PDB file of all heavy atoms in Angstrom:
ATOM      1  N   ALA A 109      -9.223   6.592  -3.877  1.00 96.00           N
ATOM      2  CA  ALA A 109      -9.724   7.934  -3.567  1.00 96.00           C
ATOM      3  C   ALA A 109     -10.031   8.054  -2.078  1.00 96.00           C
ATOM      4  O   ALA A 109      -9.731   9.077  -1.441  1.00 96.00           O
ATOM      5  CB  ALA A 109     -10.975   8.234  -4.391  1.00 96.00           C
ATOM      6  N   ALA A 110     -10.596   6.999  -1.486  1.00 96.00           N
ATOM      7  CA  ALA A 110     -10.886   7.004  -0.050  1.00 96.00           C
ATOM      8  C   ALA A 110      -9.595   7.008   0.767  1.00 96.00           C
ATOM      9  O   ALA A 110      -9.490   7.705   1.781  1.00 96.00           O
ATOM     10  CB  ALA A 110     -11.745   5.794   0.320  1.00 96.00           C
ATOM     11  N   HIS A 111      -8.592   6.243   0.329  1.00 96.00           N
ATOM     12  CA  HIS A 111      -7.306   6.228   1.040  1.00 96.00           C
ATOM     13  C   HIS A 111      -6.690   7.621   1.041  1.00 96.00           C
ATOM     14  O   HIS A 111      -6.170   8.089   2.059  1.00 96.00           O
ATOM     15  CB  HIS A 111      -6.330   5.256   0.363  1.00 96.00           C
ATOM     16  CG  HIS A 111      -6.818   3.839   0.325  1.00 96.00           C
ATOM     17  ND1 HIS A 111      -6.217   2.863  -0.445  1.00 96.00           N
ATOM     18  CD2 HIS A 111      -7.860   3.239   0.955  1.00 96.00           C
ATOM     19  CE1 HIS A 111      -6.859   1.724  -0.277  1.00 96.00           C
ATOM     20  NE2 HIS A 111      -7.870   1.927   0.558  1.00 96.00           N
ATOM     21  N   SER A 112      -6.733   8.261  -0.118  1.00 95.00           N
ATOM     22  CA  SER A 112      -6.170   9.610  -0.232  1.00 95.00           C
ATOM     23  C   SER A 112      -6.868  10.569   0.723  1.00 95.00           C
ATOM     24  O   SER A 112      -6.222  11.342   1.439  1.00 95.00           O
ATOM     25  CB  SER A 112      -6.310  10.097  -1.675  1.00 95.00           C
ATOM     26  OG  SER A 112      -5.774  11.385  -1.828  1.00 95.00           O
ATOM     27  N   ARG A 113      -8.185  10.507   0.753  1.00 95.00           N
ATOM     28  CA  ARG A 113      -8.973  11.385   1.639  1.00 95.00           C
ATOM     29  C   ARG A 113      -8.601  11.186   3.104  1.00 95.00           C
ATOM     30  O   ARG A 113      -8.366  12.149   3.831  1.00 95.00           O
ATOM     31  CB  ARG A 113     -10.458  11.089   1.439  1.00 95.00           C
ATOM     32  CG  ARG A 113     -11.391  11.942   2.301  1.00 95.00           C
ATOM     33  CD  ARG A 113     -12.794  11.355   2.329  1.00 95.00           C
ATOM     34  NE  ARG A 113     -12.849  10.080   3.027  1.00 95.00           N
ATOM     35  CZ  ARG A 113     -13.476   9.007   2.553  1.00 95.00           C
ATOM     36  NH1 ARG A 113     -14.088   9.020   1.376  1.00 95.00           N
ATOM     37  NH2 ARG A 113     -13.471   7.880   3.260  1.00 95.00           N
ATOM     38  N   GLU A 114      -8.520   9.935   3.531  1.00 95.00           N
ATOM     39  CA  GLU A 114      -8.251   9.672   4.943  1.00 95.00           C
ATOM     40  C   GLU A 114      -6.825  10.039   5.340  1.00 95.00           C
ATOM     41  O   GLU A 114      -6.588  10.483   6.461  1.00 95.00           O
ATOM     42  CB  GLU A 114      -8.523   8.192   5.258  1.00 95.00           C
ATOM     43  CG  GLU A 114      -9.982   7.800   5.132  1.00 95.00           C
ATOM     44  CD  GLU A 114     -10.895   8.647   6.004  1.00 95.00           C
ATOM     45  OE1 GLU A 114     -10.554   8.911   7.173  1.00 95.00           O
ATOM     46  OE2 GLU A 114     -11.972   9.058   5.505  1.00 95.00           O
ATOM     47  N   HIS A 115      -5.888   9.881   4.423  1.00 96.00           N
ATOM     48  CA  HIS A 115      -4.505  10.216   4.774  1.00 96.00           C
ATOM     49  C   HIS A 115      -4.242  11.716   4.715  1.00 96.00           C
ATOM     50  O   HIS A 115      -3.281  12.197   5.325  1.00 96.00           O
ATOM     51  CB  HIS A 115      -3.523   9.423   3.915  1.00 96.00           C
ATOM     52  CG  HIS A 115      -3.341   8.021   4.435  1.00 96.00           C
ATOM     53  ND1 HIS A 115      -2.464   7.716   5.459  1.00 96.00           N
ATOM     54  CD2 HIS A 115      -3.963   6.869   4.115  1.00 96.00           C
ATOM     55  CE1 HIS A 115      -2.534   6.431   5.729  1.00 96.00           C
ATOM     56  NE2 HIS A 115      -3.444   5.886   4.932  1.00 96.00           N
ATOM     57  N   VAL A 116      -5.075  12.448   4.024  1.00 95.00           N
ATOM     58  CA  VAL A 116      -4.998  13.915   4.140  1.00 95.00           C
ATOM     59  C   VAL A 116      -5.255  14.297   5.598  1.00 95.00           C
ATOM     60  O   VAL A 116      -4.537  15.121   6.180  1.00 95.00           O
ATOM     61  CB  VAL A 116      -6.016  14.602   3.204  1.00 95.00           C
ATOM     62  CG1 VAL A 116      -6.176  16.081   3.579  1.00 95.00           C
ATOM     63  CG2 VAL A 116      -5.579  14.479   1.754  1.00 95.00           C
ATOM     64  N   GLY A 117      -6.271  13.684   6.195  1.00 94.00           N
ATOM     65  CA  GLY A 117      -6.563  13.944   7.606  1.00 94.00           C
ATOM     66  C   GLY A 117      -5.447  13.480   8.519  1.00 94.00           C
ATOM     67  O   GLY A 117      -5.094  14.167   9.482  1.00 94.00           O
ATOM     68  N   PHE A 118      -4.892  12.308   8.229  1.00 96.00           N
ATOM     69  CA  PHE A 118      -3.801  11.789   9.056  1.00 96.00           C
ATOM     70  C   PHE A 118      -2.582  12.707   8.952  1.00 96.00           C
ATOM     71  O   PHE A 118      -1.899  12.975   9.955  1.00 96.00           O
ATOM     72  CB  PHE A 118      -3.428  10.371   8.620  1.00 96.00           C
ATOM     73  CG  PHE A 118      -2.439   9.705   9.537  1.00 96.00           C
ATOM     74  CD1 PHE A 118      -2.862   9.010  10.658  1.00 96.00           C
ATOM     75  CD2 PHE A 118      -1.085   9.779   9.285  1.00 96.00           C
ATOM     76  CE1 PHE A 118      -1.956   8.402  11.517  1.00 96.00           C
ATOM     77  CE2 PHE A 118      -0.162   9.173  10.127  1.00 96.00           C
ATOM     78  CZ  PHE A 118      -0.604   8.483  11.250  1.00 96.00           C
ATOM     79  N   ASN A 119      -2.304  13.203   7.766  1.00 96.00           N
ATOM     80  CA  ASN A 119      -1.144  14.081   7.574  1.00 96.00           C
ATOM     81  C   ASN A 119      -1.314  15.410   8.312  1.00 96.00           C
ATOM     82  O   ASN A 119      -0.332  15.999   8.784  1.00 96.00           O
ATOM     83  CB  ASN A 119      -0.892  14.310   6.087  1.00 96.00           C
ATOM     84  CG  ASN A 119      -0.463  13.028   5.383  1.00 96.00           C
ATOM     85  OD1 ASN A 119      -0.050  12.058   6.033  1.00 96.00           O
ATOM     86  ND2 ASN A 119      -0.562  13.014   4.067  1.00 96.00           N
ATOM     87  N   LYS A 120      -2.537  15.877   8.415  1.00 96.00           N
ATOM     88  CA  LYS A 120      -2.787  17.075   9.216  1.00 96.00           C
ATOM     89  C   LYS A 120      -2.454  16.806  10.679  1.00 96.00           C
ATOM     90  O   LYS A 120      -1.915  17.678  11.385  1.00 96.00           O
ATOM     91  CB  LYS A 120      -4.249  17.510   9.086  1.00 96.00           C
ATOM     92  CG  LYS A 120      -4.597  18.110   7.726  1.00 96.00           C
ATOM     93  CD  LYS A 120      -6.079  18.467   7.651  1.00 96.00           C
ATOM     94  CE  LYS A 120      -6.425  19.055   6.286  1.00 96.00           C
ATOM     95  NZ  LYS A 120      -7.888  19.345   6.165  1.00 96.00           N
ATOM     96  N   ALA A 121      -2.753  15.587  11.135  1.00 96.00           N
ATOM     97  CA  ALA A 121      -2.433  15.220  12.518  1.00 96.00           C
ATOM     98  C   ALA A 121      -0.921  15.153  12.732  1.00 96.00           C
ATOM     99  O   ALA A 121      -0.421  15.501  13.807  1.00 96.00           O
ATOM    100  CB  ALA A 121      -3.070  13.879  12.859  1.00 96.00           C
ATOM    101  N   ILE A 122      -0.189  14.719  11.714  1.00 97.00           N
ATOM    102  CA  ILE A 122       1.272  14.699  11.799  1.00 97.00           C
ATOM    103  C   ILE A 122       1.803  16.117  11.984  1.00 97.00           C
ATOM    104  O   ILE A 122       2.675  16.381  12.814  1.00 97.00           O
ATOM    105  CB  ILE A 122       1.888  14.062  10.530  1.00 97.00           C
ATOM    106  CG1 ILE A 122       1.500  12.589  10.428  1.00 97.00           C
ATOM    107  CG2 ILE A 122       3.416  14.203  10.543  1.00 97.00           C
ATOM    108  CD1 ILE A 122       1.946  11.922   9.130  1.00 97.00           C
ATOM    109  N   ILE A 123       1.232  17.044  11.223  1.00 96.00           N
ATOM    110  CA  ILE A 123       1.649  18.456  11.332  1.00 96.00           C
ATOM    111  C   ILE A 123       1.299  19.001  12.711  1.00 96.00           C
ATOM    112  O   ILE A 123       2.108  19.697  13.344  1.00 96.00           O
ATOM    113  CB  ILE A 123       0.976  19.298  10.224  1.00 96.00           C
ATOM    114  CG1 ILE A 123       1.480  18.856   8.843  1.00 96.00           C
ATOM    115  CG2 ILE A 123       1.249  20.786  10.433  1.00 96.00           C
ATOM    116  CD1 ILE A 123       0.703  19.442   7.688  1.00 96.00           C
ATOM    117  N   GLU A 124       0.100  18.653  13.189  1.00 95.00           N
ATOM    118  CA  GLU A 124      -0.322  19.122  14.517  1.00 95.00           C
ATOM    119  C   GLU A 124       0.558  18.554  15.630  1.00 95.00           C
ATOM    120  O   GLU A 124       0.672  19.143  16.705  1.00 95.00           O
ATOM    121  CB  GLU A 124      -1.784  18.752  14.750  1.00 95.00           C
ATOM    122  CG  GLU A 124      -2.756  19.561  13.902  1.00 95.00           C
ATOM    123  CD  GLU A 124      -4.181  19.038  13.971  1.00 95.00           C
ATOM    124  OE1 GLU A 124      -4.404  18.012  14.661  1.00 95.00           O
ATOM    125  OE2 GLU A 124      -5.067  19.644  13.332  1.00 95.00           O
ATOM    126  N   ALA A 125       1.186  17.413  15.364  1.00 95.00           N
ATOM    127  CA  ALA A 125       2.102  16.815  16.343  1.00 95.00           C
ATOM    128  C   ALA A 125       3.448  17.528  16.362  1.00 95.00           C
ATOM    129  O   ALA A 125       4.307  17.196  17.183  1.00 95.00           O
ATOM    130  CB  ALA A 125       2.295  15.336  16.040  1.00 95.00           C
ATOM    131  N   GLY A 126       3.635  18.503  15.451  1.00 96.00           N
ATOM    132  CA  GLY A 126       4.852  19.308  15.469  1.00 96.00           C
ATOM    133  C   GLY A 126       5.826  19.049  14.348  1.00 96.00           C
ATOM    134  O   GLY A 126       6.932  19.612  14.333  1.00 96.00           O
ATOM    135  N   TYR A 127       5.446  18.224  13.367  1.00 97.00           N
ATOM    136  CA  TYR A 127       6.357  17.904  12.271  1.00 97.00           C
ATOM    137  C   TYR A 127       6.124  18.820  11.067  1.00 97.00           C
ATOM    138  O   TYR A 127       4.978  19.171  10.753  1.00 97.00           O
ATOM    139  CB  TYR A 127       6.172  16.455  11.815  1.00 97.00           C
ATOM    140  CG  TYR A 127       6.662  15.430  12.807  1.00 97.00           C
ATOM    141  CD1 TYR A 127       5.753  14.654  13.537  1.00 97.00           C
ATOM    142  CD2 TYR A 127       8.019  15.211  13.010  1.00 97.00           C
ATOM    143  CE1 TYR A 127       6.193  13.697  14.441  1.00 97.00           C
ATOM    144  CE2 TYR A 127       8.466  14.258  13.918  1.00 97.00           C
ATOM    145  CZ  TYR A 127       7.554  13.514  14.631  1.00 97.00           C
ATOM    146  OH  TYR A 127       7.985  12.566  15.527  1.00 97.00           O
ATOM    147  N   ASP A 128       7.211  19.168  10.402  1.00 97.00           N
ATOM    148  CA  ASP A 128       7.156  19.896   9.144  1.00 97.00           C
ATOM    149  C   ASP A 128       7.322  18.860   8.035  1.00 97.00           C
ATOM    150  O   ASP A 128       8.381  18.222   7.919  1.00 97.00           O
ATOM    151  CB  ASP A 128       8.289  20.925   9.086  1.00 97.00           C
ATOM    152  CG  ASP A 128       8.298  21.731   7.792  1.00 97.00           C
ATOM    153  OD1 ASP A 128       7.503  21.410   6.885  1.00 97.00           O
ATOM    154  OD2 ASP A 128       9.116  22.668   7.681  1.00 97.00           O
ATOM    155  N   ILE A 129       6.294  18.663   7.207  1.00 97.00           N
ATOM    156  CA  ILE A 129       6.339  17.610   6.188  1.00 97.00           C
ATOM    157  C   ILE A 129       6.513  18.180   4.774  1.00 97.00           C
ATOM    158  O   ILE A 129       6.349  17.461   3.795  1.00 97.00           O
ATOM    159  CB  ILE A 129       5.072  16.737   6.241  1.00 97.00           C
ATOM    160  CG1 ILE A 129       3.812  17.557   5.947  1.00 97.00           C
ATOM    161  CG2 ILE A 129       4.955  16.051   7.609  1.00 97.00           C
ATOM    162  CD1 ILE A 129       2.546  16.713   5.831  1.00 97.00           C
ATOM    163  N   GLU A 130       6.885  19.446   4.691  1.00 96.00           N
ATOM    164  CA  GLU A 130       7.005  20.088   3.379  1.00 96.00           C
ATOM    165  C   GLU A 130       8.028  19.389   2.489  1.00 96.00           C
ATOM    166  O   GLU A 130       7.795  19.173   1.303  1.00 96.00           O
ATOM    167  CB  GLU A 130       7.380  21.563   3.542  1.00 96.00           C
ATOM    168  CG  GLU A 130       7.433  22.320   2.224  1.00 96.00           C
ATOM    169  CD  GLU A 130       7.768  23.796   2.406  1.00 96.00           C
ATOM    170  OE1 GLU A 130       7.753  24.282   3.553  1.00 96.00           O
ATOM    171  OE2 GLU A 130       8.060  24.439   1.383  1.00 96.00           O
ATOM    172  N   ALA A 131       9.185  19.012   3.057  1.00 95.00           N
ATOM    173  CA  ALA A 131      10.228  18.350   2.259  1.00 95.00           C
ATOM    174  C   ALA A 131       9.757  16.998   1.741  1.00 95.00           C
ATOM    175  O   ALA A 131      10.064  16.600   0.615  1.00 95.00           O
ATOM    176  CB  ALA A 131      11.495  18.181   3.097  1.00 95.00           C
ATOM    177  N   LEU A 132       8.978  16.277   2.541  1.00 95.00           N
ATOM    178  CA  LEU A 132       8.467  14.973   2.122  1.00 95.00           C
ATOM    179  C   LEU A 132       7.429  15.139   1.015  1.00 95.00           C
ATOM    180  O   LEU A 132       7.406  14.369   0.051  1.00 95.00           O
ATOM    181  CB  LEU A 132       7.843  14.235   3.306  1.00 95.00           C
ATOM    182  CG  LEU A 132       8.789  13.618   4.338  1.00 95.00           C
ATOM    183  CD1 LEU A 132       9.459  14.678   5.206  1.00 95.00           C
ATOM    184  CD2 LEU A 132       8.041  12.624   5.213  1.00 95.00           C
ATOM    185  N   ASP A 133       6.593  16.152   1.145  1.00 94.00           N
ATOM    186  CA  ASP A 133       5.583  16.413   0.131  1.00 94.00           C
ATOM    187  C   ASP A 133       6.243  16.837  -1.179  1.00 94.00           C
ATOM    188  O   ASP A 133       5.803  16.456  -2.261  1.00 94.00           O
ATOM    189  CB  ASP A 133       4.624  17.501   0.622  1.00 94.00           C
ATOM    190  CG  ASP A 133       3.434  17.680  -0.304  1.00 94.00           C
ATOM    191  OD1 ASP A 133       2.788  16.656  -0.635  1.00 94.00           O
ATOM    192  OD2 ASP A 133       3.149  18.817  -0.707  1.00 94.00           O
ATOM    193  N   ARG A 134       7.319  17.597  -1.065  1.00 94.00           N
ATOM    194  CA  ARG A 134       8.036  18.045  -2.261  1.00 94.00           C
ATOM    195  C   ARG A 134       8.622  16.852  -3.027  1.00 94.00           C
ATOM    196  O   ARG A 134       8.629  16.833  -4.258  1.00 94.00           O
ATOM    197  CB  ARG A 134       9.138  19.019  -1.849  1.00 94.00           C
ATOM    198  CG  ARG A 134       9.819  19.719  -3.020  1.00 94.00           C
ATOM    199  CD  ARG A 134      10.575  20.959  -2.567  1.00 94.00           C
ATOM    200  NE  ARG A 134      11.548  20.655  -1.532  1.00 94.00           N
ATOM    201  CZ  ARG A 134      11.467  21.118  -0.266  1.00 94.00           C
ATOM    202  NH1 ARG A 134      10.442  21.881   0.101  1.00 94.00           N
ATOM    203  NH2 ARG A 134      12.401  20.815   0.618  1.00 94.00           N
TER     204      ARG A 134
END
Side-chain angles (χ1 to χ4, degrees):
H111 300 168
S112 180
R113 180 195 67 227
E114 294 304 317
H115 280 277
V116 166
F118 188 87
N119 294 343
K120 288 178 181 177
I122 295 174
I123 295 170
E124 289 171 358
Y127 290 108
D128 180 353
I129 62 173
E130 184 178 349
L132 285 72
D133 188 51
R134 189 162 56 245

